[in-house]
Amino acid sequence: MKEEIFSQLRDALFFFEIEKARELAEKVVELGIDPVEALEEGLAKPLREVGNRFETGEAFITELIASAEVMEAGSEILNKEIVRRGANRESVGKFLIGTVKGDIHSIGKNIVATLLIASGFEVIDLGTDVPTWTFVEKVKELEPDILGLSALMTTTMVKQKEIIGALMDLGLRSSVKIIVGGAPVTKEWVEAIGADAAGFDAGSAVQKALSLMGDT
Ligand code: B12
């Protein structure tokens, strides 16, 4: 049953069926299927496939946009269920997150934010295309335990470095742990820019965040 629903979700994403994706996501909730697994297997994996096809010229940008809309529609319902399942936990820490300037990719960041909330973090999401200065101001104002920086493009990941540099210049770097993420991020990049950790998927992002809280 579970596999069949995941397969139907994949088809909905490939054939741009927004309503179908919503219905299937509702079914996942009704049947008590793990919403995290449904998100990853039914929507995130096939969306990455569309991205790969776009890269090789086999898919058009319009297809990429339409598939992303299906992912967003389905994940809106699944995210609510993920948060509901993790409700009533004590706050384990304050997590400030956003996608860097010049980058409007939000899906991965939103999944990470959802799983962090489900794991007990208080999450403040600054959204996408966030200027370096806004990250710095918000760190000063809100004093989060962890700052999460999402960048999905090789052209925008440099902003992660810029933000860390700005925090260092203002003497704020040691006040906050920094975890970076997004498809182009590597271990080498983390070391090169002086971040504390990287999350390569939502599960590892939560694990790293919890272990960073242990270090504070
Ligand atoms: C969906 C998508 C879009 C959608 C975004 C919709 C939205 N609301 O987010 C749309 C269609 C709008 C889009 C636009 C563009 N895109 Co685009 N897009 C993608 C695609 C296919 C999937 C991204 C995604 O959502 N993946 C699913 C999620 C679940 O995975 P994820 O994002 O990797 O997130 C996970 C991890 O990375 C990690 N993570 C993510 N953030 C964070 C943050 C923290 C703190 C942590 C710890 C972890 C973490 O955990 C997440 C959950 O598992 C990728 C292809 C790919 N392989 O990534 C291209 C891709 C990123 N896009 C690309 C490009 C080029 C563009 C455009 C420039 C296209 C154009 N010509 O206009 C524009 C850019 C606009 C801009 N200024 O940002 C390129 C980037 C190439 C590069 N330079 O590196 C890619 C790689 C496609 C390709 N292969 O060419 N895109």
Side-chain angles (χ1 to χ4, degrees):
M1 183 53 138
K2 181 173 90 173
E3 291 308 326
E4 200 187 315
I5 292 183
F6 294 171
S7 155
Q8 288 175 4
L9 266 173
R10 276 192 287 273
D11 285 348
L13 188 125
F14 289 139
F15 296 107
F16 322 126
E17 295 171 312
I18 292 185
E19 266 320 303
K20 186 82 193 283
R22 284 206 183 99
E23 278 167 29
L24 289 163
E26 299 280 9
K27 215 164 169 185
V28 166
V29 175
E30 265 168 46
L31 296 174
I33 295 168
D34 181 1
V36 178
E37 201 184 346
L39 203 56
E40 184 57 29
E41 297 301 322
L43 295 168
K45 274 192 188 163
L47 182 60
R48 289 191 196 106
E49 268 178 60
V50 178
N52 294 340
R53 278 193 241 146
F54 171 67
E55 193 171 18
T56 55
E58 290 164 80
F60 294 110
I61 182 74
T62 43
E63 292 173 289
L64 188 60
I65 294 170
S67 300
E69 281 171 359
V70 175
M71 165 97 204
E72 284 178 84
S75 62
E76 204 181 318
I77 292 160
L78 296 174
N79 284 349
K80 277 192 194 137
E81 175 64 5
I82 294 168
V83 170
R84 193 194 64 78
R85 286 187 176 206
N88 302 324
R89 295 211 185 159
E90 257 179 61
S91 172
V92 295
K94 199 190 273 186
F95 198 109
L96 181 66
I97 192 167
T99 304
V100 300
K101 183 74 190 158
D103 199 323
I104 60 159
H105 293 90
S106 61
I107 295 171
K109 166 188 69 62
N110 291 349
I111 294 177
V112 172
T114 300
L115 286 199
L116 285 167
I117 294 170
S119 308
F121 279 92
E122 178 196 346
V123 175
I124 302 124
D125 187 348
L126 298 177
T128 60
D129 195 22
V130 180
T132 295
W133 195 241
T134 305
F135 279 112
V136 173
E137 298 253 278
K138 289 291 173 189
V139 165
K140 219 187 321 179
E141 180 193 327
L142 303 169
E143 300 180 347
D145 299 293
I146 306 178
L147 171 64
L149 302 171
S150 183
L152 259 287
M153 300 193 287
T154 46
T155 46
T156 55
M157 64 195 288
V158 289
K159 291 287 172 189
Q160 295 176 332
K161 187 178 177 192
E162 187 179 279
I163 293 160
I164 294 175
L167 289 170
M168 281 171 92
D169 290 347
L170 291 168
L172 291 166
R173 175 64 186 93
S174 58
S175 72
V176 65
K177 299 281 181 191
I178 298 179
I179 175 163
V180 291
V185 168
T186 59
K187 279 186 191 149
E188 292 72 29
W189 177 247
V190 176
E191 277 170 32
I193 65 173
D196 295 300
F200 302 106
D201 54 53
S204 76
V206 171
Q207 286 309 318
K208 297 273 174 62
L210 287 170
S211 95
L212 285 178
M213 285 309 298
D215 295 345
T216 53

